[in-house]
Amino acid sequence: MSFNNTMMHRQSTANAASLAKQQGVCSTEDNQSSSAEPSSLAADTYPLCLSEYTRYGRQLILPSWGMPSQLALKRSRVLVVGAGGLGCPAIQYLAAAGVGHITVVDHDVVERSNLARQILHDEATVGLSKVESAERAVQRINPHVRVDSIASAFDKTNAMPLVSSHDLTLDCTDNVLTRYLISDTAVLCSKQVVSGAAQGVEGQLMVLNKNPHNSDAAPKDGSSAAGPSRGPCYRCMFPKAPRPDDVVDCSDGGVFGGITGLVGTLQAVESIKLLSDMGASTPPALLLCSAFSYPPFRSIKLRPARPDCRSCGNPENVESRISDLAQEDYAAFCGLNDVRGQGGSRGGRDRISVQDLAGILQNGAETTQANPRSLLIDVRPKVEYGIVSLPNTCNIPYTDLRRNPSETLRRIRTLQNSVAPISSSGNPSNRSTSKQSTCASKVSPSIYLLCRRGNDSQIAADLLHEAQDEQASTTGNEEVHTFAAQRADGFTFVDVIGGLQAWSKEVDPSFPVY
Ligand SMILES: Nc1ncnc2c1ncn2[C@@H]1O[C@H](COP(=O)(O)OP(=O)(O)OP(=O)(O)O)[C@@H](O)[C@H]1O
Ligand SMILES: [Zn+2]
């Protein structure tokens, strides 16, 4: 906005035809005009419709932008995978800036827990598919944009046709499997990927497979004749997938809404630069941002693509270069076939439903002399335990437990000496928001393990079983002998199916879910 009032007196001399068009959105045919056409006063030859001149006016007049860039954007087809924390702001700015065609792929539906950061969705679209919610939002923002919504997962079956039919792909997903798949597909189609990531208070941005048609290395004579070297793909940067246990997603680790907004917006900016041919000349870089650090931004220059990369490397240097996505087992590569990694059961572990747990807590079903000393252990992180917890629980965070299950066993035995009955006298859902840290029962050998959704508690039960077996088989261990004398069979570790979410759903709907 400007306060220079000379601007107030400028008036266009629009002809009758264009005035008629001013009222509405121009047709698809209007939008197809070529930027190469000479400028004419006839309305039909304007490459944008009148309302678009007004809509995009502030960016059109930028010396570095102008009509060629605007038209390039209008002719562009952009694929956005993921309409969550990153996808929403990215789609918002791509649409507002005037990208002609946006395809959004996401298999998820809008949940209330998305609304603090996934800004295209709102109360009215909770329960709707994210792509439909995003499409409605785009139509509100800019009716000149065509949106295709695909309410299914981006996978091996649709990857090639989707990526190859778009000029650019934005990776706005939250899992490594999809990141490898998007990157590999883009390499096979010689397309670039604007990749974003956000976790906690930190975010990352990079363009993958940048300048896919350029050679791998910069010219030896230092000339820039061949342009900047081809940038790395996701596999160049991460030839090995992280172990599933080391990957934390937003629902487990939390995320700061503004950070996803920042990274998603930067993805849109980077995309707009590439689509209008303004971003190709800069070397590949990784931008890191951290909301609570100073300075909040850092940029790291990336090495060019690796010649031995399985995805984008030189075929002569690579033994089994990826050439057919159907042949690739992405789940195995990412370690997702490991049952434990998905919170699956090894079998033989005891489990309990939330209803049965409620019965125990309420009725003191196990308060018998034969079953002394039960504990109800909440394995969520300390910060989550501090948000809300069931009464009479102990907090041993899963990460501590996993780091040292044997030590955790010792801790559990110690906790038994500072006991309080796990059965409550009244309401089983008599929740507490305080950070009480000890409680137990004198009456049961069962150690009930509870988490938010019932995944970590399963793994915790397995780890503790294993640690107990290991200790029991160790001869000469005084502590184990003492323990065995106390309780010949040791503890029974019991995971609570579905965790606190199931508790809230099936036992006490007033228990807060986050
Ligand atoms: N293979 C895929 N195909 C399509 N969309 C995907 C794929 N993998 C992930 N996504 C989508 O990417 C988005 C990632 O965004 P984000 O992590 O902010 O959302 P979320 O999963 O809803 O968050 P939360 O973890 O809080 O539930 C999600 O909407 C998710 O459905
Ligand atoms: Zn590569």
Side-chain angles (χ1 to χ4, degrees), residues 282-299:
T282 52
L286 170 66
L287 182 74
L288 303 168
C289 54
S290 177
F292 299 144
S293 301
Y294 184 81
F297 292 98
R298 269 189 314 141
S299 183

Side-chain angles (χ1 to χ4, degrees), residues 81-86 105-109 111 113-114 117-118 130 152-155 172-175 178 249-252 255 260 453:
V81 188
L86 300 170
V105 190
D106 199 312
H107 54 285
D108 202 5
V109 294
E111 292 174 45
S113 63
N114 299 150
R117 67 184 192 285
Q118 303 185 21
K130 285 189 178 175
S152 50
F154 179 93
D155 58 23
C172 300
T173 66
D174 56 355
N175 61 88
T178 312
D249 65 18
C250 294
S251 59
D252 287 332
V255 66
T260 57
R453 287 178 300 199

Side-chain angles (χ1 to χ4, degrees), residues 396-434:
I396 301 182
Y398 169 70
T399 43
D400 294 357
L401 185 154
R402 201 183 78 180
R403 203 174 303 126
N404 196 339
S406 305
E407 176 53 36
T408 306
L409 261 183
R410 271 180 222 112
R411 204 169 147 194
I412 289 171
R413 282 175 213 135
T414 311
L415 279 171
Q416 287 192 301
N417 298 324
S418 51
V419 292
I422 64 166
S423 58
S424 75
S425 51
N427 181 1
S429 59
N430 181 22
R431 63 179 176 269
S432 160
T433 51
S434 71

Side-chain angles (χ1 to χ4, degrees), residues 13-336:
T13 53
N15 60 30
S18 55
L19 270 175
K21 280 195 169 185
Q22 235 172 351
Q23 306 306 320
V25 174
C26 52
S27 67
T28 314
E29 291 74 42
D30 292 329
N31 294 344
Q32 303 302 323
S33 306
S34 156
S35 62
E37 284 173 6
S39 166
S40 157
L41 282 180
D44 288 345
T45 64
Y46 289 143
L48 299 173
C49 67
L50 271 189
S51 64
E52 288 182 288
Y53 283 91
T54 313
R55 174 180 285 270
Y56 305 129
R58 301 298 181 274
Q59 68 194 35
L60 275 171
I61 60 174
L62 287 171
S64 52
W65 189 254
M67 189 57 98
S69 296
Q70 192 64 50
L71 291 176
L73 213 57
K74 194 175 175 68
R75 285 193 296 267
S76 299
R77 293 169 55 86
V78 175
L79 174 68
V80 181
V81 188
L86 300 170
C88 284
I91 293 166
Q92 184 180 33
Y93 277 98
L94 291 172
V99 167
H101 186 141
I102 301 175
T103 301
V104 187
V105 190
D106 199 312
H107 54 285
D108 202 5
V109 294
V110 179
E111 292 174 45
R112 188 159 289 113
S113 63
N114 299 150
L115 303 185
R117 67 184 192 285
Q118 303 185 21
I119 50 163
L120 295 183
H121 315 312
D122 55 31
E123 279 290 341
T125 62
V126 169
L128 214 63
S129 76
K130 285 189 178 175
V131 290
E132 190 176 341
S133 174
E135 179 173 348
R136 287 185 189 182
V138 170
Q139 296 307 343
R140 277 196 305 274
I141 294 165
N142 187 351
H144 299 278
V145 178
R146 177 178 157 190
V147 185
D148 280 352
S149 310
I150 302 178
S152 50
F154 179 93
D155 58 23
K156 287 197 294 187
T157 63
N158 57 18
M160 286 297 282
L162 278 171
V163 172
S164 63
S165 60
H166 291 81
D167 299 302
L168 188 66
T169 298
L170 276 73
D171 183 347
C172 300
T173 66
D174 56 355
N175 61 88
V176 282
L177 188 154
T178 312
R179 289 190 186 285
Y180 281 108
L181 179 59
I182 291 175
S183 174
D184 290 348
T185 314
V187 169
L188 288 173
C189 303
S190 294
K191 302 279 184 182
Q192 308 182 83
V193 177
V194 181
S195 172
Q199 173 73 61
V201 297
E202 296 182 344
Q204 294 182 359
L205 171 83
M206 58 190 161
V207 178
L208 298 171
N209 203 29
K210 195 166 187 187
N211 304 310
H213 300 290
N214 289 2
S215 73
D216 291 356
K220 287 207 172 74
D221 61 4
S223 77
S224 59
S229 53
R230 186 166 61 88
C233 75
Y234 196 68
R235 275 184 202 265
C236 288
M237 305 206 38
F238 307 105
K240 280 197 183 133
R243 290 177 350 137
D245 283 356
D246 294 334
V247 179
V248 183
D249 65 18
C250 294
S251 59
D252 287 332
V255 66
F256 194 52
I259 275 288
T260 57
L262 201 57
V263 175
T265 303
L266 285 167
Q267 283 182 273
V269 170
E270 205 58 44
S271 302
I272 290 167
K273 278 162 59 185
L274 292 171
L275 294 167
S276 60
D277 217 18
M278 291 195 301
S281 57
T282 52
L286 170 66
L287 182 74
L288 303 168
C289 54
S290 177
F292 299 144
S293 301
Y294 184 81
F297 292 98
R298 269 189 314 141
S299 183
I300 299 169
K301 204 174 150 193
L302 294 178
R303 290 205 184 95
R306 290 167 61 125
D308 60 345
C309 171
R310 266 204 76 214
S311 183
C312 73
N314 187 337
E316 287 132 43
N317 298 355
V318 189
E319 211 166 281
S320 59
R321 194 174 192 262
I322 295 169
S323 57
D324 179 3
L325 296 177
Q327 302 299 316
E328 296 299 311
D329 188 343
Y330 283 89
F333 176 68
C334 296
L336 299 174

